[in-house]
Amino acid sequence: MPAKAAFYDVDGTLVKTNVVHVYAYYAMNRGSLLGIAGRTLATAASAPLFAAMDAVNRKAFNEFFYRYYAGLSEDRLVTVAEDMFEDVLKPAIYEQTRDLIDQARRVGCRIVLVTGALDFSMRPLARYLGADDMIANKMQFVGGKATGKVIPPIIEGANKANAIRSYCVREGLALDQCHGYSDSASDYAMLSVVGRPTAVNPDMRLRSIARAYNWPILDLK
């Protein structure tokens, strides 16, 4: 086992999509045509609210957004995840994502995805990219149906850093030798906890932080 790991945020870092795109796909592939239309319209109408909440408080955004999954069948979610990967995630992977991952693997890193997305929706992507492991949010299911609640702690912000730290302790990895990659200033804690942080397609705030700390900046295409 490698003595270090490369931890990758997903949305905006490895792929061009986000959790709203993923849910929209589930909404359009569930139930009757009338129900599908209603959920799709509701998601579209809520998009400005989602964006505002995400910008202000990602934890609150995640808690609010994942309520939209309430009532969905676990079996159906897992099944649709495979089609969603082919239709939504795979075409959105940055062309240089593979190079970024291969570079870390060549220097002996274990590849770990760290995402606020739900685990079942990210498994096909992790498998396709050859990731060794994944840290992701987990939906609570009761009687095979999603409750709309995520099992705490929600993977975001400081909790990403805590999860990475715990992962390294559990797996015997040297945190100061680990790499971290993200596009968002909301992941500042995740990047600062590892020894080798990199800003990938950074938002304006993260780009400023990266310059201040002399972190490498990558703009993937």
Side-chain angles (χ1 to χ4, degrees):
M1 292 292 292
K4 58 186 176 181
F7 297 96
Y8 297 86
D9 171 61
V10 175
D11 292 344
T13 303
L14 302 180
V15 301
K16 303 169 189 176
T17 58
N18 58 44
V19 292
V20 178
H21 297 134
V22 171
Y23 173 76
Y25 188 87
Y26 283 114
M28 291 185 290
N29 287 274
R30 173 203 176 199
S32 67
L33 290 176
L34 182 59
I36 290 170
R39 280 183 294 275
T40 303
L41 289 172
T43 303
S46 300
L49 174 61
F50 293 154
M53 290 186 68
D54 189 30
V56 174
N57 188 319
R58 180 154 292 185
K59 181 176 183 292
F61 164 74
N62 284 342
E63 290 176 338
F64 175 82
F65 179 75
Y66 286 136
R67 293 176 191 170
Y68 279 69
Y69 282 82
L72 293 175
S73 161
E74 181 175 11
D75 290 342
R76 180 63 175 162
L77 287 170
V78 172
T79 299
V80 174
E82 298 293 336
D83 293 332
M84 186 273 294
F85 168 71
E86 293 292 336
D87 295 342
V88 178
L89 293 180
K90 188 175 179 180
I93 297 172
Y94 289 111
E95 291 181 10
Q96 294 172 304
T97 288
R98 284 280 191 184
D99 293 337
L100 186 64
I101 291 175
D102 289 344
Q103 183 180 28
R105 199 182 295 281
R106 282 195 296 271
V107 297
C109 288
R110 189 176 196 188
I111 307 302
V112 184
L113 305 187
V114 185
T115 174
L118 294 166
D119 56 354
F120 56 79
S121 67
M122 291 292 106
R123 284 190 196 115
L125 175 67
R127 186 171 62 245
Y128 179 79
L129 295 178
D132 298 296
D133 215 337
M134 179 175 65
I135 299 170
N137 280 314
K138 300 179 184 297
M139 177 64 68
Q140 180 188 72
F141 292 96
V142 174
K145 300 287 186 180
T147 66
K149 296 180 180 179
V150 174
I151 298 172
I154 291 179
I155 304 301
E156 56 74 42
N159 284 336
K160 277 191 176 183
N162 293 336
I164 288 172
R165 188 182 291 109
S166 297
Y167 184 91
C168 286
V169 170
R170 184 172 68 251
E171 300 295 325
L173 304 178
L175 186 59
D176 64 342
Q177 295 299 309
C178 289
H179 298 247
Y181 301 87
S182 181
D183 70 306
S184 174
S186 65
D187 285 335
Y188 168 74
M190 165 186 166
L191 293 174
S192 62
V193 77
V194 298
R196 300 176 180 180
T198 298
V200 180
N201 300 329
D203 58 27
M204 290 181 62
R205 187 177 166 209
L206 180 58
R207 190 176 292 272
S208 177
I209 291 171
R211 286 171 175 165
Y213 286 99
N214 201 28
W215 293 347
I217 298 174
L218 299 177
D219 292 298
L220 299 190
K221 298 179 181 178

